[in-house]
Amino acid sequence: MCQKPALSTPAQRGLQQWMAVVPILFLEFLVIALPAGVLPIVINDHFGQRSYVLLGYSQALRGFLAFLASPALGALSDVIGRKYLFVACVVGSSMPYAILGLGATLEMHIVALGVSGALTATFPLCFAYISDTVQPHARASAFGIVLGVGMGGAYLLGPVIGTVIEAQYSAEMVFRCCLVLTLTNAAFALFAMREAQRPPPPPTAELLRRSNPFASFALLRRNAAMRLLCAIVIFYYFALWGFIANKGIYARRRFDQTSRQTAEQLTLFGLVSALSQSVGLRAARRRFSEPQIARACFVCAVAAMLLYGCAQNVWMLYPPMALLGLSLGGFATISSLASQVVPRPPASHG
């Protein structure tokens, strides 16, 4: 007598649901990683001494817009759902690179990079999407898999592929690939993502309240744990994004670093990140608490930046990139802690 196949459990359905974001994040970061070995050289050669200043203005604008928009986008997703806001952020973060595939100038790329800060809530929305179906004790591992396979995998493959495309064809072909990947990713995200539960349409007043970029900061007044986590993230990101924004131009000017060497360092970063977050983070949680893991990861980040700044030869830039890959586990762990101290929004609205 034939038995009917067992229906999937809620946990299995949740796993199937949140795993859809892994290839989406992989393609998003592949768009960013693909020209990572090429773009610093192109920008430095085009803008010369103005490169630092222009990138500094662009990244400052990006950070300011992200500071305003990310809490509002996260709050909006609680009442209108994650999917379409997440897709908009995926496209928005890829836009500065995709438009180069349409023939945009480097000046337009710099401007688009700054403006894209209004849609850089990819990780908060991704982690909120995962938290809808993953239990609190398993979120750090889930976030680590997403970061390790999604971002780490993209940096493992993207820079090498980008330099090969540049060598075989041209830098313009790299940017055309970025455009194709962005369009492909948007279509895949719209098809693959499923809402855990489609919320009812909220009243207009509720939408306006949630869209207020400063409304979400009221949570900090009531939640001491969130204030502490925000302070940690602010200091961490203050150093991290300053490093990321300038390291490519710095290495090109200080050591005359080639696109191949840049790609090798980013590939090392991607490999360590993928392994440490998909495997290492899960193993670490068996012996250490999440705060202990976060502290260890932030120590790796500090060591990476100190070593990078003290390097005297180009080969000395490789170990810091490996340490930086290890440090990203702190981001996943802090995000997991934040998801556990924030109260859930009401299930429905009158």
Side-chain angles (χ1 to χ4, degrees), residues 268-314:
L268 177 62
F269 163 79
L271 176 62
V272 173
S273 175
L275 292 176
S276 65
Q277 295 190 81
S278 60
V279 179
L281 194 58
R282 179 173 295 183
R285 288 184 65 250
R286 296 172 185 165
R287 297 191 59 184
F288 304 103
S289 67
E290 289 187 343
Q292 288 174 323
I293 295 172
R295 283 192 287 268
C297 291
F298 292 144
V299 167
C300 289
V302 172
M305 295 173 199
L306 288 174
L307 289 174
Y308 202 95
C310 295
Q312 298 299 314
N313 295 286
V314 70

Side-chain angles (χ1 to χ4, degrees), residues 37 155 160 184 247 265 276 291 322 327:
Y155 277 100
V160 173
T184 301
K247 71 175 185 63
Q265 293 165 19
S276 65
S327 76

Side-chain angles (χ1 to χ4, degrees), residues 68-152:
L68 292 180
S70 292
L73 290 172
L76 268 176
S77 75
D78 288 337
V79 295
I80 67 173
R82 321 285 189 198
K83 177 176 178 178
Y84 294 105
L85 286 176
F86 180 71
V87 174
C89 288
V90 166
V91 174
S93 62
S94 302
M95 174 185 63
Y97 309 93
I99 63 172
L100 290 171
L102 293 171
T105 63
L106 287 173
E107 287 80 4
M108 293 175 66
H109 164 76
I110 296 291
V111 172
L113 188 64
V115 174
S116 70
L119 291 171
T120 53
T122 302
F123 277 133
L125 292 178
C126 171
F127 291 164
Y129 183 79
I130 293 172
S131 297
D132 289 339
T133 55
V134 176
Q135 294 300 313
H137 70 274
R139 287 175 188 168
S141 295
F143 295 164
I145 290 173
V146 167
L147 282 169
V149 178
M151 184 172 70

Side-chain angles (χ1 to χ4, degrees), residues 153-172:
Y155 277 100
L156 176 62
L157 300 175
V160 173
I161 296 173
T163 54
V164 170
I165 293 173
E166 181 203 22
Q168 294 294 322
Y169 301 97
S170 64
E172 289 75 15

Side-chain angles (χ1 to χ4, degrees), residues 205-221:
E206 177 69 7
L207 275 178
L208 292 176
R209 185 181 74 81
R210 295 274 179 165
S211 300
N212 180 357
F214 299 102
S216 297
F217 294 104
L219 174 65
L220 298 181
R221 294 198 301 267

